[in-house]
Amino acid sequence: MGSYIPSTEAQRKQMLREIGLEDFRGLYKDVPEAMYLDRELDIPSGMSELEVARKVSAVAAENKVFPTVLRGAGAYDHYIPSIVRYIPAKEEFLTAYTPYQAELSQGILQSVFEYQTMICSLTGMDVSNASVYDGATAAAEAAAMCRDRKRRVTLISASTHPDVINTVRTYCYGTNDELRTVPVKDGRTDMDELVKMLEAGDVSGFYVQQPNFFGLFEDAEKLGKIVHAAGAMFIMGCNPIALSIMKTPAECGADIATGEGQPLGMPLGYGGPYLGFMATTAKYMRKLPGRIVGQTVDADGNRCFVLSLQAREQHIRREKASSNICSNEALCALTAAVYMSVMGPQGMAEAARQCMAKAHYLADRLCSLNGVSMRYGGEFFHEFMLDMPKIPQVLKALEENRILGGLPYDGGILWCATEKVPKEDLDRTVSIVREVLK
Amino acid sequence: MNLIFEKSVPGRMCTILPSCDVPQTDLADNLKRKSALDLPQMSETDVSRHYTELCRRVYGVNSGFYPLGSCTMKYNPRIDEQMAALEGFSAIHPLAPEHTTAGCRKVLETARQYLCEITGMDDMTFQPAAGAHGEFTGVLLIKQYHDSRNDRKRTKIIVPDSAHGTNPATAAMCGYEVINIPSAPDGCVDLEALKQALGDDTAGLMLTNPNTLGIFDENILEITRLVHEAGGLCYYDGANLNAVMGIARPGDMGFDCIHLNLHKTFATPHGGGGPGAGAVGCKEKLRSFLPGSAVKGHEGIQVRSFSGNFLVVVKALTYMLTLGRQGIPEAARNAVLNANYLMHRIKGTFEPAFDRICMHEFVLDLSRFKEETGVSALDVAKSLIDMGIHPPTMYFPLIVHEALMLEPTETESKETLDRVAEIFRSLYDLARKDPEYMKSSPHNAQIGRPDEVRAARTPVLKWTREEDS
């Protein structure tokens, strides 16, 4: 059986004796007899490290690893620079607790402060928090920020990722608030419908994803104007790689910027852990949920960092807190900061440009095949919806060639291409699809 | 120490990507970003050194004793990290076709099975990303249950005043009115207060057992029975499971749903504040209300995208495979032994809040000590930093004044506990000899006490260039 307990049998006996007990059972005298488990757990016996390594590796081998991934839909296969894997693996970063004791955790606090600064730069906003669980929960928390006593309704575009919509819906269910989805027209938010839905004057906030779930760029600036004209707040959920080259939420007049940070150095990991970023304008700083790191000085006047504005949080305000969120995704935020530092402004923009270029190249070449067409017109980033015949056969043929094709969705396929996919893989994909569709 | 931006040199960069091998495309002007992207411009050497410098200013479980009560800072096995980093897990897309992800589903199913057995639950979800997130999910199960039975008058959730702040915050996030009940003098649930608070407007009770004082509430069966009798459900905050895993099960205590902190009890690393995983288990009657992923076809509630922090579950599963059926209760027993031993060694100087057998953690009450010496729990905590020890949890639970909560965990050696007890004894003496020294501690740390008031009054929450400020 594997164990991480340093004390030997002899030492345990000695400790028990010192506290006046015969055996371990005495430690649990407060546990009623009826509840004391009188049998062993029905799980396998423990194992040595070598056996565990073999067993778990065998389970991992049951998964199919695709060297080429052309599927996105909220989880993106970007190239992760080597050093980005090493730094968060440093034992201190990995095993430390939340930095409540500032004198012992300046390293973490400073790295979070740096992360917050980078998120502000990426989004153009004034203040960022230390992160939340993922892009979907960030959207839900942002929606909550918009509500006040008079306005409670949240609007969300139907062009948003279904998991984000459902998460926001769940959080609204929690607080007994209403969520309404704004219909989509030709793959984008229907602006006429949005205007109509804002007329009642009860909307607190509107959320749009940029680029949206179908990969398309929304006219965010115009959406923002419509929303503000109706007295509601504007939330933009953005792809962080795209932000390197696309109009920022700040430039679009957004009040709150959120997004899924997974593309910033986190592996696909079958869905997690990921990273939710949240940033806002100075005006709404105190409504931001979650941890925020602030700069101050110590008794000797040295610059230092602390968890700040804690009066917003659950450990102070308990049931009056705006959110129950207690932790963040610290190690993922660190990963994102390292990624952004390694890539730098040129690298980030280059990654974005290449994602876009490769997706457009793939789209053009696939659309040149018989029976294949773009479902929606207009500008897209690195994802696009195609209609084509024989979808299951296409995906199967790709799979046999170790390519994970686009996501079958709504009768079509939602494709994605990132900077990681070389031209020959894109060409190979097209050949395979051409073969199937012959 | 400088910020990374202060080390940036314009034009410096790493060479990560090749040049583009397909024709370039351009964004329309009205979609283009206009403001410059101000990120650090560094060489790889610079990045490496910067984070090394930062790392030296972090205290991890690898650095030394970390007795944060209710946080279970046990050793984080490296084999867990290695398994989670396997390409066969880390490279898997959450929406890959089912027949290519048998391994992922096996991880989740096996973890589910083991944790249901350990907790006495019938089903479990791994979607919540943290403890508080798990609490939210658990209370939503209760809400859905009552809604499904059209029982709309149940608007209150009962929470003991010893509860962690996330409990009432969670109840409020679920639209409930929070009824705080006072604890009995021994820190356990006051049965009379509970009976008074119960009614047909009770949706449920949120409880931790052992409680936040490290005491096992021996009335637990009566407590859950009373709540059920009133028509409410019982939610178990699993933060303290390390005391009883494999020895007593929340399912046998009468709880209907629970959350677990995989990053506490099941040894996945804290990461400086996440990522964790707040697995939520429930009894049969709540199974149909568990969350899932809409894009994967789920039609009920959802608390985050996809299936949750999968790689964290891999770590927890690896840990459970290592410890196995004997190792799980053995870890619990030794966590409790270590806590009692340390408390016993410190007794005679600092006072335990309750002089009785504790579970995996115990609380010291420094209110009399402060009256006598002027040195507070905070001052003691800061003085421990100078001794190379991470402070225990301070000022929690709220029902003990000048509290310090210590949880050594089972992965500390007897020598460490002996040494720590000595350190506490020496600080007890120092408080009488030189209280001022302790009140201005720490003296040998990365920084002195930070000015938190200034931080809150004039918030500086990001770095700005000299020219911009």
Side-chain angles (χ1 to χ4, degrees):
Chain A
M1 156 191 86
S3 173
Y4 299 101
I5 302 170
S7 61
T8 61
E9 280 303 325
Q11 286 177 320
R12 295 173 205 186
K13 284 204 175 75
Q14 189 188 344
M15 289 196 279
L16 279 167
R17 256 199 320 267
E18 270 200 51
I19 60 179
L21 289 175
E22 281 292 312
D23 54 23
F24 279 99
R25 185 67 178 87
L27 291 169
Y28 291 96
K29 64 173 183 40
D30 288 337
V31 178
E33 200 62 46
M35 241 181 295
Y36 193 86
L37 204 59
D38 57 3
R39 59 169 176 84
E40 282 193 319
L41 290 169
D42 188 12
I43 67 177
S45 251
M47 296 185 252
S48 66
E49 185 175 302
L50 177 53
E51 291 169 291
V52 172
R54 262 196 230 125
K55 192 173 174 83
V56 180
S57 300
V59 176
E62 290 184 45
N63 290 324
K64 190 180 170 97
V65 175
F66 291 95
T68 308
V69 176
L70 296 174
R71 187 169 293 198
Y76 302 95
D77 186 30
H78 291 280
Y79 178 69
I80 300 174
S82 280
I83 195 168
V84 174
R85 291 183 195 271
Y86 276 88
I87 289 172
K90 286 176 183 291
E91 290 186 271
E92 290 81 3
F93 286 135
L94 182 70
T95 65
Y97 190 66
T98 305
Y100 286 121
Q101 298 289 354
E103 300 90 333
L104 271 178
S105 40
Q106 286 300 296
I108 297 182
L109 290 162
Q110 182 176 326
S111 71
V112 175
F113 185 81
E114 291 171 354
Y115 159 85
Q116 287 170 191
T117 305
M118 293 182 208
I119 294 295
C120 287
S121 185
L122 203 58
T123 58
M125 305 304 262
D126 301 323
V127 57
S128 161
N129 68 13
S131 73
V132 294
Y133 312 129
D134 75 337
T137 52
E141 295 280 5
M145 277 173 72
C146 298
R147 291 187 202 115
D148 60 26
R149 270 172 298 120
K150 281 185 277 177
R151 291 168 178 254
R152 313 274 321 166
V153 174
T154 300
L155 295 186
I156 189 164
S157 175
S159 68
T160 305
H161 193 293
D163 278 4
V164 175
I165 297 177
N166 205 22
T167 302
V168 178
R169 177 176 295 126
T170 299
Y171 276 65
C172 288
Y173 168 68
T175 53
N176 302 314
D177 286 308
E178 204 184 326
L179 176 73
R180 298 181 196 142
T181 45
V182 183
V184 151
K185 186 165 128 186
D186 300 325
R188 291 179 180 78
T189 311
D190 186 332
M191 287 199 194
D192 296 326
E193 284 300 310
L194 175 62
V195 169
K196 277 198 212 126
M197 292 170 81
L198 286 164
E199 268 164 15
D202 57 356
V203 175
S204 55
F206 167 71
Y207 178 96
V208 72
Q209 183 180 314
Q210 180 76 315
N212 69 25
F213 179 66
F214 309 110
L216 302 164
F217 284 110
E218 299 260 355
D219 189 346
E221 221 180 340
K222 186 157 174 211
L223 288 168
K225 289 201 174 84
I226 292 172
V227 170
H228 284 144
M233 285 171 68
F234 181 44
I235 312 165
M236 273 178 74
C238 303
N239 178 301
I241 301 288
L243 275 174
S244 323
I245 59 173
M246 79 177 182
K247 208 162 217 173
T248 67
E251 287 167 339
C252 295
D255 299 295
I256 309 171
T258 64
E260 176 51 65
Q262 175 269 328
L264 300 171
M266 278 139 270
L268 292 169
Y270 197 61
Y274 286 177
L275 176 72
F277 61 86
M278 291 185 77
T280 189
T281 56
K283 181 174 175 192
Y284 297 109
M285 172 174 73
R286 284 171 204 278
K287 299 198 96 188
L288 264 181
R291 303 255 161 73
I292 304 182
V293 172
Q295 181 179 307
T296 183
V297 290
D298 73 355
D300 300 316
N302 300 310
R303 175 178 66 185
C304 62
F305 303 94
V306 285
L307 289 177
S308 194
L309 301 184
Q310 291 187 75
R312 299 159 300 122
E313 295 190 72
Q314 48 78 26
H315 54 288
I316 310 289
R317 305 210 69 199
R318 296 174 73 90
E319 60 261 26
K320 298 202 189 68
S322 51
S323 168
N324 76 344
I325 190 166
C326 180
S327 59
N328 52 327
E329 298 283 274
L331 205 66
C332 297
L334 176 68
T335 302
V338 178
Y339 178 84
M340 287 189 275
S341 303
V342 170
M343 296 298 277
Q346 295 98 321
M348 292 279 291
E350 184 60 26
R353 279 192 295 265
Q354 289 201 18
C355 282
M356 215 174 134
K358 298 198 187 221
H360 283 76
Y361 176 77
L362 180 64
D364 286 343
R365 291 214 57 206
L366 285 172
C367 286
S368 72
L369 302 176
N370 261 332
V372 181
S373 60
M374 290 286 284
R375 182 173 290 193
Y376 305 116
E379 297 236 33
F380 61 95
F381 179 53
H382 66 351
E383 292 184 274
F384 53 95
M385 279 284 283
L386 290 185
D387 286 305
M388 64 177 68
K390 298 191 186 171
I391 288 178
Q393 294 93 317
V394 164
L395 292 173
K396 186 164 191 293
L398 289 172
E399 189 189 310
E400 281 159 9
N401 283 274
R402 309 180 74 211
I403 298 170
L404 180 64
L407 179 74
Y409 188 84
D410 192 30
I413 301 182
L414 180 63
W415 296 88
C416 175
T418 67
E419 82 291 356
K420 194 176 163 192
V421 188
K423 179 174 179 289
E424 49 271 30
D425 285 0
L426 297 172
D427 291 337
R428 210 159 48 88
T429 300
V430 176
S431 304
I432 293 164
V433 177
R434 178 188 292 119
E435 224 16 71
V436 175
L437 297 185
K438 243 202 281 233
Chain B
M1 189 190 152
N2 281 335
L3 289 166
I4 198 167
F5 317 101
E6 292 161 339
K7 300 178 182 179
S8 168
V9 173
R12 201 170 270 174
M13 63 182 86
C14 302
T15 49
I16 303 298
L17 297 177
S19 43
C20 195
D21 53 8
V22 297
Q24 292 277 13
T25 53
D26 208 15
L27 257 182
D29 222 54
N30 69 315
L31 289 171
K32 266 198 195 129
R33 180 186 178 112
K34 300 289 193 289
S35 51
L37 179 58
D38 197 358
L39 291 174
Q41 300 185 62
M42 321 275 285
S43 72
E44 194 167 313
T45 314
D46 306 327
V47 175
S48 167
R49 288 202 179 143
H50 178 74
Y51 283 98
T52 299
E53 207 184 336
L54 282 177
C55 205
R56 284 200 209 105
R57 302 173 122 224
V58 179
Y59 186 100
V61 173
N62 62 307
S63 311
F65 192 57
Y66 221 127
L68 279 176
S70 266
C71 299
T72 313
M73 302 299 292
K74 65 171 78 178
Y75 176 69
N76 310 118
R78 287 309 114 87
I79 186 66
D80 300 353
E81 300 304 307
Q82 198 178 320
M83 294 299 102
L86 289 172
E87 199 187 34
F89 290 133
S90 63
I92 309 303
H93 193 288
L95 300 176
E98 288 233 329
H99 62 273
T100 64
T101 57
C104 292
R105 279 170 297 108
K106 192 178 253 184
V107 165
L108 293 171
E109 179 47 39
T110 311
R112 188 187 80 99
Q113 213 187 303
Y114 292 178
L115 288 170
C116 281
E117 166 65 356
I118 289 168
T119 57
M121 292 287 126
D122 298 321
D123 205 349
M124 192 159 291
T125 174
F126 294 102
Q127 201 179 61
H133 208 203
E135 288 179 34
F136 176 58
T137 308
V139 177
L140 281 180
L141 296 183
I142 294 176
K143 182 168 181 156
Q144 291 175 92
Y145 174 80
H146 293 306
D147 282 351
S148 73
R149 301 168 93 237
N150 261 308
D151 195 351
R152 313 260 167 196
K153 62 181 176 331
R154 295 188 182 272
T155 55
K156 300 188 169 132
I157 291 266
I158 301 171
V159 177
D161 62 2
S162 57
H164 192 274
T166 49
N167 287 181
T170 295
M173 266 175 92
C174 294
Y176 287 112
E177 189 190 329
V178 176
I179 306 296
N180 284 300
I181 53 168
S183 305
D186 67 354
C188 292
V189 171
D190 181 333
L191 286 174
E192 281 317 305
L194 175 63
K195 283 180 194 155
Q196 295 236 359
L198 283 168
D200 62 0
D201 56 357
T202 302
L205 166 77
M206 294 176 82
L207 198 65
T208 278
N209 192 34
N211 62 27
T212 52
L213 289 139
I215 293 170
F216 192 95
D217 197 327
E218 54 189 354
N219 293 320
I220 189 65
L221 283 173
E222 178 62 7
I223 292 166
T224 52
R225 189 192 70 75
L226 284 167
V227 176
H228 287 143
E229 197 173 63
L233 294 179
C234 299
Y235 166 86
Y236 179 81
D237 180 326
N240 291 334
L241 192 73
N242 204 45
V244 293
M245 60 175 180
I247 292 170
R249 311 192 311 167
D252 300 334
M253 296 178 206
F255 287 98
D256 303 290
C257 55
I258 69 167
H259 93 267
L260 298 170
N261 299 68
L262 299 190
H263 46 290
K264 295 185 182 185
T265 320
F266 296 93
T268 75
H270 283 78
V280 167
C282 67
K283 289 279 168 94
E284 184 67 47
K285 62 156 144 332
L286 296 176
R287 288 180 86 155
S288 58
F289 304 119
L290 286 170
S293 159
V295 77
K296 287 174 135 171
H298 181 73
E299 285 178 356
I301 65 164
Q302 176 161 10
V303 296
R304 81 103 308 175
S305 55
F306 309 121
S307 307
N309 286 353
F310 173 75
L311 295 179
V312 176
V313 183
V314 171
K315 297 182 193 186
L317 177 63
T318 306
Y319 178 73
M320 288 191 280
L321 286 168
T322 302
L323 264 57
R325 82 167 71 103
Q326 299 100 337
I328 298 272
E330 194 208 33
R333 283 193 291 265
N334 280 277
V336 175
L337 174 60
N338 278 359
N340 279 283
Y341 179 73
L342 182 61
M343 182 173 73
H344 172 79
R345 289 301 223 112
I346 290 177
K347 236 177 2 179
T349 57
F350 294 103
E351 288 176 43
F354 298 97
D355 192 4
R356 52 185 280 183
I357 294 278
C358 64
M359 289 280 92
H360 63 313
E361 61 193 9
F362 62 94
V363 180
L364 297 173
D365 183 335
L366 273 65
S367 37
R368 192 143 56 121
F369 171 82
K370 182 176 177 193
E371 272 168 36
E372 289 168 6
T373 63
V375 175
S376 69
L378 178 77
D379 300 325
V380 172
K382 299 299 182 187
S383 303
L384 283 165
I385 294 176
D386 278 337
M387 312 293 248
I389 291 184
H390 193 285
T393 302
M394 307 185 300
Y395 300 103
F396 181 80
L398 302 176
I399 57 176
V400 174
H401 297 130
E402 296 297 318
L404 287 179
M405 191 194 324
L406 286 95
E407 180 185 354
T409 84
E410 71 278 14
T411 58
E412 294 301 329
S413 67
K414 181 178 176 296
E415 306 89 82
T416 301
L417 299 178
D418 288 335
R419 190 171 56 83
V420 168
E422 266 320 297
I423 288 173
F424 268 85
R425 303 184 93 88
S426 72
L427 287 179
Y428 187 80
D429 294 334
L430 185 62
R432 275 151 233 283
K433 288 193 216 123
D434 195 349
E436 288 315 308
Y437 187 80
M438 288 181 71
K439 288 197 224 173
S440 52
S441 291
H443 302 276
N444 308 319
Q446 305 155 18
I447 55 165
R449 289 197 203 185
D451 188 344
E452 299 191 52
V453 174
R454 171 176 165 155
R457 204 182 292 138
T458 35
V460 174
L461 307 175
K462 65 171 181 169
W463 176 82
T464 35
R465 276 187 195 291
E466 288 287 299
E467 313 93 72
D468 301 341
S469 48

